[in-house]
Amino acid sequence: LEEQLAAANLVDIRRFRTKVFLRMKYATTDNFTERKLYNKAKCYLKKPVAQALVKAAKLAVEEEVPFWLCIYDCYRPTSVQKIMLKSVKEQGFLSKVSNHSRGMAVDVGPCNMQGEPLLTPNTFDTFSDASGAYYYGDEVPDIAIDNRTALQEVMKKAGFNTISNEWWHFDYKGAKNEEPLDIRF
């Protein structure tokens, strides 16, 4: 496994010794599929993406209102993406080929220094209008919008882009230039 990961330029975020909280949802049953899809709760990313995530983590704790990063998903094998596609009931939230499968995307949310999620428009993996990166419904408290906006700004400064239908999903620049991988862990 380690040789395959190294050949694909995938590194474990823990290698960088940055304070982030791994909440790898697909290594548990606490996700929309209600299945454990990974054997290990590891965050693998292409090396430049991991370095950018480290930069985002440092920027987050330097904010006027500091926060930490809770990481929900990183590299996702294409075979896992196929399982997810079969499990999702709401159309339009998952693509056939994900930038996660390229090691070029991360799902992340803001949390406090104990690793507890801060209020956001909805929770990770909840597929609804409130999942939108720019959703401003009347039911969403201002603090949830502020937390989401702070997260987006930090991630953008570190080289990531948002997608319209998931506030927690961030693609690294040049993601489409990488080939999807299927290294299971």
Side-chain angles (χ1 to χ4, degrees):
L1 174 65
E2 295 305 319
E3 289 174 6
Q4 288 179 299
L5 294 168
N9 199 26
L10 290 169
V11 296
D12 187 335
I13 193 67
R14 292 285 186 202
R15 171 180 170 188
F16 295 94
R17 292 184 166 78
T18 297
K19 184 172 181 178
V20 294
F21 295 93
L22 291 185
R23 302 288 184 259
M24 305 304 290
K25 292 292 192 170
Y26 303 116
T28 72
T29 57
D30 181 23
N31 63 67
F32 78 94
T33 70
E34 299 178 343
R35 293 174 55 184
K36 184 177 176 182
L37 300 172
Y38 302 150
N39 292 323
K40 297 178 183 177
K42 297 273 192 171
C43 173
Y44 298 110
L45 293 165
K46 292 282 186 170
K47 189 174 181 180
V49 183
Q51 291 168 328
L53 188 58
V54 167
K55 179 180 179 180
K58 290 177 181 176
L59 290 169
V61 297
E62 294 171 358
E63 285 286 296
E64 185 176 323
V65 178
F67 63 94
W68 287 256
L69 300 180
C70 280
I71 302 173
Y72 300 118
D73 196 24
C74 297
Y75 162 69
R76 177 188 307 154
T78 53
S79 55
V80 171
Q81 182 72 9
K82 289 176 184 176
I83 293 168
M84 292 174 146
L85 281 168
K86 291 178 185 174
S87 300
V88 72
K89 295 171 182 69
E90 295 80 4
Q91 297 303 308
F93 279 94
L94 290 177
S95 60
K96 287 184 180 179
V97 179
S98 172
N99 287 332
H100 284 286
S101 299
R102 295 176 165 100
M104 300 290 288
V106 63
D107 290 341
V108 62
C111 57
N112 66 22
M113 65 187 299
Q114 288 79 34
E116 298 159 349
L118 298 178
L119 187 63
T120 49
N122 65 2
T123 58
F124 169 75
D125 247 3
T126 303
F127 302 119
S128 70
D129 289 344
S131 299
Y134 305 103
Y135 180 78
Y136 291 93
D138 291 337
E139 78 283 8
V140 180
D142 289 346
I143 188 66
I145 300 294
D146 292 347
N147 290 337
R148 180 188 69 196
T149 301
L151 174 68
Q152 290 170 338
E153 289 174 359
V154 160
M155 296 298 285
K156 285 178 185 176
K157 286 178 189 173
F160 292 90
N161 298 308
T162 59
I163 63 170
S164 63
N165 60 346
E166 295 177 358
W167 62 259
W168 56 82
H169 178 100
F170 296 90
D171 289 327
Y172 191 66
K173 58 188 173 190
K176 298 290 186 204
N177 298 329
E178 297 291 326
E179 289 297 317
L181 303 165
D182 196 30
I183 303 167
R184 295 294 302 258
F185 58 95

